[in-house]
Amino acid sequence: MQLTNQSYQIQGVNVLDIADEFGLPLYVYDADKIIEKIDALRSAFDGVNLKVKYAAKALTNLSILKLMQLQGIDVEVVSVNEARLALMAGFAPEQVMYTPSGNAWPEIQEALELGVQLNADNLPLLEQIGQTYGDRYPVALRINPSLLDGGMAKIQVGHENSKFGIPNQYNAQIRAIATKYGIPIIGLHVHTGSDFKDSNTFLKIADVLFEMAADYPDLQFIDFGSGFKVAYREGDYFTDLPDLGAKVSAAFRSFCDRYGREVQLCFEPGKLLVSESGHLLVGVNVVKENPTRTFVQVNSGLNHLIRPMMYDAWHTILNVSNPTGTEKSYDVVGYICETDTFAADRQLPEVRPGDVLSLENAGAYGFSMASNYNTRERPAEVLVYEGKPYLIRQRETFEDLIRGQVDIFSEKLRVKSEMLEQTLLHQ
Ligand SMILES: *Cc1c(COP(=O)(O)O)cnc(C)c1O
């Protein structure tokens, strides 16, 4: 979002006009930002056979998935329903990688029947694949590199106490199962979930996979998952893509030489691709001056963006209606009946009732983690594409909220009110 001529704009469209047209609260995504991130990632890894798989769980709207497809991106999913969404968005089954983490076998089998690529994260699952499909279903393996980085407390890399992946120490057991059934192992994968800024830490993880790879002659790809750190505020560290790209590409090329042929290098960014593109626009209901603090109470809350309350995440907030107002300190809070703080003691240009605020960096794990808590509708979603805002999801309605509920007491209540009427008549 850019401040131009004293108004905030996305691709030249005034954000206040978007708010007027589609109503508040509203998620707005900037397609250009997504494309810019994809390009940055690609140019950082120029010179290797790179495949980017978008981690759909960050933001699952079908139009976003289709936008990814337009950019030549594949997709990574974590549930059978995300797999269905990806196919609905037009991805071919082989472009969809499914990474269950402890999902039930019937769900996994449903996904496999759709033909998607499986990334297995435990040994019993590998055994089950062998028993069910013999050598007919090629799989990738999610490996836990059992590496706890000594240096920085913040980077807790796929450590051995994490639930994810098959510990690399079990390489012999993996090979035993794969050999028993002849299961083709076509990919090695690691996703640590950590935010890495230190490319050397990352290279250590890569080495674990490179070493294991020697035991698997059929590999088509090595997938390093995600973990790209995004800056949420000025001064935040973020992954230095060109630096990471140069180091990892060099290491990867020399690995391919040793391996004897070229394989694909994959990443699965979620946050990196969509976080910055997203803005949660909210309206100010009340400005409440208490003796010690001034609360800005907005028409949204943790039901729409849970990251501040769940992860203590910091989201930049802009006063879109009054960008040049005098700065004051505010607590920006939601309308949920719970402590529901978006930002405490935040300096903002003077906020007035009716102002539109924007919570920045709200594209990833914003709408996709939204709920109906307090019986509130989830917001509409808008995508700004080629200079025009498009509605890509309607705002929910009250009917949406009660759909699926089954009423078992209507007859009893009718009888009760009839009896009450009779009693009144006979008095
Ligand atoms: C969530 C997830 C990602 C994406 O992580 P981000 O931090 O959003 O980039 C990638 N791979 C797997 C397996 C995931 O579960």
Side-chain angles (χ1 to χ4, degrees), residues 55 57 76 78 99 142 189 191 226-227 268-271 365:
K57 74 175 187 287
E76 192 273 340
V78 294
T99 307
R142 178 173 189 166
H189 166 279
H191 170 67
S226 182
E268 310 163 347
K271 211 187 300 163
Y365 310 105

Side-chain angles (χ1 to χ4, degrees), residues 86-305:
L87 298 181
M88 246 175 115
F91 288 96
E94 57 273 17
Q95 291 180 289
V96 181
M97 183 155 93
Y98 173 47
T99 307
S101 71
N103 300 6
W105 173 243
E107 178 190 320
I108 293 171
Q109 205 168 12
E110 268 180 65
L112 299 188
E113 299 300 324
L114 299 172
V116 303
Q117 168 71 62
L118 177 69
N119 190 20
D121 97 318
N122 60 68
L123 291 173
L125 175 56
L126 196 59
E127 183 76 42
Q128 181 81 62
I129 297 287
Q131 280 173 18
T132 314
Y133 298 103
D135 61 0
R136 297 191 310 281
Y137 216 108
V139 300
L141 300 171
R142 178 173 189 166
I143 302 299
N144 182 335
S146 320
L147 249 160
L148 185 64
D149 182 74
M152 290 163 212
K154 276 222 157 184
I155 311 174
Q156 300 199 328
V157 179
H159 52 90
E160 43 191 13
N161 296 326
S162 152
K163 72 167 180 173
F164 294 107
I166 308 174
N168 63 318
Q169 299 96 316
Y170 294 166
N171 193 23
Q173 286 89 325
I174 299 171
R175 288 176 59 199
I177 299 171
T179 309
K180 180 161 124 199
Y181 298 101
I183 305 169
I185 304 296
I186 59 163
L188 293 181
H189 166 279
V190 62
H191 170 67
T192 58
S194 61
D195 291 332
F196 52 76
K197 71 165 176 186
D198 182 354
S199 28
N200 295 319
T201 305
F202 187 78
L203 287 171
K204 281 197 240 163
I205 305 172
D207 275 340
V208 173
L209 290 195
F210 293 159
E211 204 183 304
M212 277 186 79
D215 291 330
Y216 299 92
D218 303 324
L219 294 182
Q220 293 168 11
F221 64 87
I222 294 206
D223 186 327
F224 291 122
S226 182
F228 297 102
K229 175 79 175 83
V230 168
Y232 280 81
R233 61 194 295 186
E234 223 164 291
D236 255 8
Y237 74 82
F238 55 94
T239 306
D240 181 344
L241 282 181
D243 174 61
L244 183 77
K247 288 181 180 156
V248 174
S249 300
F252 193 72
R253 276 194 297 267
S254 95
F255 159 72
C256 288
D257 285 345
R258 292 196 303 274
Y259 191 65
R261 67 186 164 82
E262 194 170 276
V263 296
Q264 230 168 19
L265 168 65
C266 306
F267 282 107
E268 310 163 347
K271 211 187 300 163
L272 176 75
L273 299 192
V274 296
S275 175
E276 243 182 86
S277 87
H279 313 269
L280 174 58
L281 304 184
V282 300
V284 175
N285 289 340
V286 180
V287 178
K288 183 179 189 175
E289 308 239 4
N290 279 11
T292 56
R293 323 180 76 87
T294 304
F295 291 98
V296 170
Q297 299 182 288
V298 303
N299 61 3
S300 182
L302 61 80
N303 51 330
H304 298 155
L305 181 65

